[in-house]
Amino acid sequence: MRQLTSMMNIGREMAGKLTSVGIDSPEKLAAVGSKQAFLKLKEKYPKVCLVHLYALEGAVQNLEFNRLSEEKKQELKEFSDFLKS
């Protein structure tokens, strides 16, 4: 089984947080998706922010988070803003 840290944008700290919420492999992250993974993280770690969501989406797409399309960034921002309300 591959390690989460083998994915783009996922360092040891993020991998540890993901593992703590039950996402312990790249396959699980891909299956759950960035938004659901972010929701799980937000419940346990309330200070996670939009950049974390971008990093998760980048990991799923195998892209550096700053290379996500503007449309995808906007979609994720709207999702994050919705969670704040």
Side-chain angles (χ1 to χ4, degrees):
M1 184 184 299
R2 287 184 3 196
Q3 300 284 323
L4 283 165
T5 54
S6 70
M7 298 180 83
M8 188 77 65
N9 310 314
I10 306 295
R12 286 192 328 219
E13 183 177 340
M14 177 65 89
K17 287 179 178 177
L18 287 166
T19 299
S20 77
V21 297
I23 301 169
D24 59 2
S25 70
E27 295 79 14
K28 282 188 183 175
L29 178 55
V32 168
S34 62
K35 291 178 182 176
Q36 286 301 316
F38 184 72
L39 281 173
K40 288 176 178 266
L41 289 174
K42 195 86 169 146
E43 287 176 12
K44 188 165 184 175
Y45 304 99
K47 292 190 178 191
V48 294
C49 66
L50 181 60
V51 174
H52 294 96
L53 180 54
Y54 287 170
L56 292 167
E57 181 64 25
V60 170
Q61 290 192 33
N62 195 34
L63 288 173
E64 292 179 16
F65 73 91
N66 58 355
R67 300 195 52 121
L68 293 170
S69 71
E70 290 305 314
E71 295 81 17
K72 181 54 78 172
K73 286 181 186 175
Q74 184 61 37
E75 173 192 328
L76 296 173
K77 182 176 182 338
E78 289 171 9
F79 178 76
S80 176
D81 289 347
F82 174 76
L83 295 178
K84 293 177 188 173
S85 59

